[in-house]
Amino acid sequence: MIDLHVHTTASDGSDTPAEVVEKAAAIGLSAIAITDHDTVEGIDSAMAAGKEHRVEVVPGIEISTEYAGHDIHILGYYIDYASAKLQPVLDWVINDRNARNEKIIEKLASDGYDISIEELKAKHPDTVIGRPHIAECLLEKGYVNSVAQAFSEFLAKGRPYFLPRKYLPLQRTIDVIREAGGIAVIAHPLQYRFDNEDLKKFLKTAKDMGAEGMEVIYPKYSDEQSAFLSSIADYMSLLKTGGSDYHGSIKPDIKLGVGMGAMNVPDEYLDMLKRRR
Ligand code: AMP
Ligand code: ZN
Ligand code: FE
Ligand code: FE
């Protein structure tokens, strides 16, 4: 068993990189990919824990991009996470995130909510902070009953405390992953609400831009949906990947390795990724 889509405390997961690896070992996963949003800071300690617990750790990242009005997520596998090409781009994204976090929190505070950027930074010292951390803080203070409610009432697009952030264009995102030696893979392709024709057009465009694979196994996807995505991937000669998108307590219904219980990512997906590398 493997899981190629995992978040840690370096972004909006609730388990540290070492804890994720320990959990992976405990449930018998042979490999996991660390794919935090916009950061590679969790990879070193996950790799070290992987050696100790005999879990293969694939270095990765997940970058949000903008394409034709859609918020598309691109996974980058086997990136050289020390690459000089990569870090300035991530810094640009993180700086914009930080400015946005401050504005969201100022607005909440000026409306009387007890929240500050200092407390968020103190609580999440080595973390790329985003809306999920603000949502969790609103939950802990009792302003909402769940992270989902924090989004639906406060932080989601169209709600009073939503602010946009800057996204890298799709082409730039794929380029930077490849310049850092990585394999660019389209994450959860059914999350973008394309109809089937537009999905195929989008996948073709992304492939032409240099994407080399797509996620075909994902907790919410039925066997039929995964088979549909697999057939497109095979037809288009795209690599297939799969993973839980594990976040720990922020997405409490998703478990490492098995998603909502029945997810099972074939080991051969990792073999194919390695061969491509
Ligand atoms: P950010 O990158 O700071 O804009 O936050 C985006 C992240 O928030 C996504 O990756 C999701 O994990 C999470 N998210 C977005 N919308 C929701 C929602 N309605 N409920 C729970 N989590 C959400
Ligand atoms: Zn996330
Ligand atoms: Fe994603
Ligand atoms: Fe993810």
Side-chain angles (χ1 to χ4, degrees), residues 232-243:
I232 300 177
D234 290 340
Y235 178 72
M236 293 184 66
S237 302
L238 287 166
L239 293 165
K240 293 177 277 193
T241 71

Side-chain angles (χ1 to χ4, degrees), residues 10 13 16 23 30 32 38 41 45 53 56 58-59 65 92 94 106 122 155 169 173 187 202 212 226 236 276:
T16 64
K23 277 191 189 168
S30 59
I32 61 170
D38 308 323
E41 294 298 320
S45 61
H53 295 278
E56 182 175 351
V58 176
T65 75
W92 178 85
I94 292 168
E106 269 168 29
L155 299 167
T173 303
F202 161 69
E212 296 180 73
S226 288
M236 293 184 66
R276 179 63 60 94

Side-chain angles (χ1 to χ4, degrees), residues 6-218:
V6 175
H7 295 269
T8 77
T9 49
S11 67
D12 57 350
S14 60
D15 292 350
T16 64
E19 284 167 348
V20 162
V21 171
E22 280 160 31
K23 277 191 189 168
I27 63 171
L29 296 182
S30 59
I32 61 170
I34 301 295
T35 55
D36 277 307
H37 301 281
D38 308 323
T39 182
V40 293
E41 294 298 320
I43 294 174
D44 266 331
S45 61
M47 292 252 188
K51 283 207 184 101
E52 188 183 330
H53 295 278
R54 296 177 184 222
V55 175
E56 182 175 351
V57 173
V58 176
I61 194 163
E62 181 175 26
I63 301 179
S64 303
T65 75
E66 136 79 36
Y67 172 76
H70 296 269
D71 172 6
I72 307 280
H73 295 187
I74 301 293
L75 297 158
Y77 292 112
Y78 290 110
I79 40 164
D80 167 11
Y81 51 102
S83 166
K85 298 261 171 75
L86 187 63
Q87 201 53 53
V89 177
L90 300 182
D91 287 343
W92 178 85
V93 175
I94 292 168
N95 284 339
D96 177 69
R97 272 185 172 284
N98 288 340
R100 175 217 207 191
N101 292 337
E102 283 183 25
K103 282 187 212 147
I104 293 175
I105 284 165
E106 269 168 29
K107 188 153 195 265
L108 282 163
S110 77
D111 287 348
Y113 295 98
D114 170 28
I115 184 169
S116 72
I117 194 73
E118 290 75 21
E119 69 173 301
L120 273 183
K121 281 187 190 159
K123 189 163 174 236
H124 304 286
D126 298 310
T127 297
V128 174
I129 293 175
R131 285 182 294 162
H133 306 94
I134 301 173
E136 193 182 49
C137 185
L138 292 171
L139 171 63
E140 283 166 7
K141 302 243 164 121
Y143 296 122
V144 291
N145 295 316
S146 66
V147 165
Q149 191 191 356
F151 273 91
S152 66
E153 290 185 10
F154 290 78
L155 299 167
K157 196 168 182 178
R159 306 314 299 164
Y161 300 94
F162 173 80
L163 280 176
R165 67 182 179 89
K166 289 185 194 146
Y167 290 117
L168 291 174
L170 179 59
Q171 179 73 71
R172 183 84 187 89
T173 303
I174 292 171
D175 286 346
V176 76
I177 288 169
R178 301 188 79 187
E179 282 163 13
I183 301 168
V185 170
I186 300 142
H188 39 63
L190 299 182
Q191 301 315 104
Y192 312 125
R193 297 182 200 171
F194 290 117
D195 64 31
N196 284 351
E197 278 317 298
D198 285 346
L199 176 63
K200 286 178 193 166
K201 276 187 213 156
F202 161 69
L203 293 171
K204 165 107 180 44
T205 302
K207 189 183 178 199
D208 289 344
M209 288 180 174
E212 296 180 73
M214 65 193 257
E215 211 167 40
V216 302
I217 296 183
Y218 195 67

